[in-house]
């Protein structure tokens, strides 16, 4: 596991791809590229048969550069680091900070890849990947990129604390369309790891992330709301919108769009009891709140209380005679 630090000072856990999976992905990409180059070469041979030898050589060189060099660069740029081979084996090329690559990263990787993969039959790339601690070849080193695994084995997911109940649904009208995915990832990483941070460092990081979020949304944060609680409430609102967009309604399984049903008892996890209207004692942040489960469909119909006018029927069947024990009951 490799930890990459983003611009928001949040460590991201990424699993670098090793040599076997990368070699198989490159092999699949080469097979497709060589097949395309062969088809283009055959087409050029029939179309340029009337030209002289110099023109035919120039067309062959142009086809080589466009198909075997420009093709992978264009594919990685348009797919943000996922070629056909990487897509098949669950790999992706990212920047050193975990962000998506751009044209210049793909250009450097493709230009150096001609030397270390095509001209040396992959020997230089294999040696560089074995020597590197994160399995990077020379193209990755010069481009500032890293090949990571996207499909990893499922494990326990980090718990994102819910916001206080009095903030649920408060940001329903907030415009979140301008917030990039990188900022959402940084906020989520902070919320899942805020218990491990020093209080002052965590508070400063929360203020910085809240300021970035306010700058993207264009709406100021409410006065007196802790920045961590504000971030948790906005993240919950985004998740609620994703649920509504996926299921095309405002409630899923009896849970309203805000994420908490009426009467749900969720302790205040962000330590600001003065702002909570409920007189319940404040639970300090750091303890795991109880998981609220929505009632299953039809649960209320199965649990019907008996009417007071119709008492429960008495058992009128005679009791079975018990065997005698030989002892008379006391008078």
């Amino acid at each position: 596991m490799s930890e990459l630090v983003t611009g928001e000072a949040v460590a991201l856990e990424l699993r670098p791809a090793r040599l076997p999976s990368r070699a198989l992905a490159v092999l699949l990409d080469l097979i497709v590229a060589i097949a395309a180059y062969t088809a283009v070469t055959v087409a050029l041979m029939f179309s340029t048969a009337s030209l002289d030898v110099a023109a035919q050589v120039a067309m062959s060189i142009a086809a080589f550069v466009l198909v075997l060099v420009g093709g992978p660069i264009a594919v990685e740029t348009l797919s943000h680091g996922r070629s056909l081979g990487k897509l098949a084996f669950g790999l992706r090329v990212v920047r050193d900070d975990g962000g998506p690559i751009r044209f210049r990263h793909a250009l450097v990787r493709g230009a150096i890849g001609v030397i270390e993969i095509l001209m040396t039959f992959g020997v230089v790339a294999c040696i560089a990947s074995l020597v590197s601690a994160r399995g990077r070849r020379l193209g990755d080193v010069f481009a500032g990129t890293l090949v990571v695994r996207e499909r990893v084995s499922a494990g326990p997911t980090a718990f994102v604390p819910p916001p206080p109940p009095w903030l649920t649904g408060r940001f329903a009208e907030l415009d979140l369309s301008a917030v990039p995915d990188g900022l959402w990832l940084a906020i989520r990483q902070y919320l899942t790891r805020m218990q491990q941070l020093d209080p002052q460092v965590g508070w400063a990081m929360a203020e910085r992330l809240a300021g970035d979020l306010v700058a993207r949304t264009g709406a100021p944060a409410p006065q007196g709301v802790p920045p961590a609680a504000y971030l948790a409430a906005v993240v919950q609102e985004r998740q609620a919108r994703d649920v509504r967009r996926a299921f095309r309604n405002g409630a899923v399984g009896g849970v309203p769009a805000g994420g908490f049903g009426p009467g749900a008892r969720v302790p205040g996890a962000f330590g600001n009891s003065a702002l909570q209207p409920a007189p319940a004692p404040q639970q300090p942040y750091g303890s795991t709140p109880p998981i609220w489960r929505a009632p299953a469909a039809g649960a209320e119909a199965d649990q019907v209380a008996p009417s007071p006018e119709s008492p429960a029927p008495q058992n009128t069947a005679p009791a079975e005679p018990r065997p005698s024990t030989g002892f008379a009951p006391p008078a």
Side-chain angles (χ1 to χ4, degrees):
M1 192 70 68
S2 176
E3 287 195 353
L4 304 180
V5 180
T6 66
E8 292 83 7
V10 178
L12 303 178
E13 292 183 355
L14 298 178
R15 188 183 298 273
R18 296 302 177 182
L19 181 59
S21 58
R22 293 192 61 178
L24 292 175
V26 171
L27 181 60
L28 181 57
D29 290 336
L30 284 177
I31 292 175
V32 175
I34 292 175
Y37 175 69
T38 303
V40 172
T41 303
V42 171
L44 288 177
M45 287 177 58
F46 287 101
S47 61
T48 61
S50 60
L51 300 179
D52 56 357
V53 178
Q56 292 180 359
V57 172
M59 295 294 292
S60 300
I61 295 176
F64 175 84
V65 173
L66 290 177
V67 176
L68 295 182
V69 181
I73 295 175
V75 169
E76 286 193 354
T77 303
L78 297 177
S79 63
H80 299 289
R82 299 188 71 184
S83 62
L84 180 61
K86 293 180 178 62
L87 181 63
F89 291 94
L91 308 181
R92 180 187 288 272
V93 183
V94 297
R95 300 196 307 262
D96 281 339
D97 58 354
I101 64 172
R102 301 182 183 276
F103 172 73
R104 60 184 181 88
H105 303 98
L107 178 61
V108 175
R109 295 185 78 256
I112 300 180
V114 174
I115 301 175
E116 62 174 341
I117 296 179
L118 296 180
M119 293 186 177
T120 62
F121 300 98
V123 175
V124 175
C126 291
I127 295 176
S129 181
L130 290 174
V131 172
S132 175
R134 295 190 290 179
R136 301 200 300 176
R137 63 178 179 89
L138 295 181
D140 294 318
V141 174
F142 285 100
T145 57
L146 176 68
V147 180
V148 298
R149 298 189 63 88
E150 285 191 320
R151 295 197 296 263
V152 295
S153 57
T157 57
F159 174 74
V160 179
W166 46 274
L167 280 179
T168 301
R170 188 169 180 178
F171 304 101
E173 303 298 330
L174 198 62
D175 184 12
L176 304 178
S177 59
V179 182
D181 293 337
L183 183 55
W184 287 123
L185 179 61
I187 293 174
R188 181 180 176 84
Q189 292 284 344
Y190 165 74
L191 291 175
T192 56
R193 299 188 180 188
M194 58 187 300
Q195 304 179 31
Q196 307 172 5
L197 301 176
D198 180 78
Q200 295 182 354
V201 176
W203 185 273
M205 188 178 299
E207 287 184 337
R208 189 183 313 116
L209 292 174
D212 295 341
L213 188 60
V214 168
R216 297 287 184 175
T217 59
Q223 293 292 334
V225 176
Y230 169 70
L231 295 175
V234 177
V235 168
Q236 185 199 53
E237 177 61 30
R238 180 176 185 262
Q239 294 175 350
R241 295 183 184 182
D242 291 341
V243 170
R244 291 197 299 268
R245 189 180 302 111
F247 293 91
R248 300 299 182 184
N249 55 26
V252 178
V255 184
F260 292 90
R265 298 291 183 179
V266 181
F270 296 93
N272 194 351
S273 58
L275 298 176
Q276 301 185 17
Q282 178 70 25
Q283 180 175 350
Y285 183 79
S287 59
T288 303
I291 301 178
W292 180 82
R293 299 184 182 276
E300 297 180 357
D302 297 337
Q303 300 176 359
V304 179
S307 173
E309 299 178 359
S310 57
Q314 301 294 331
N315 187 10
T316 58
E320 296 181 359
R322 298 182 180 180
S324 176
T325 59
F327 291 93

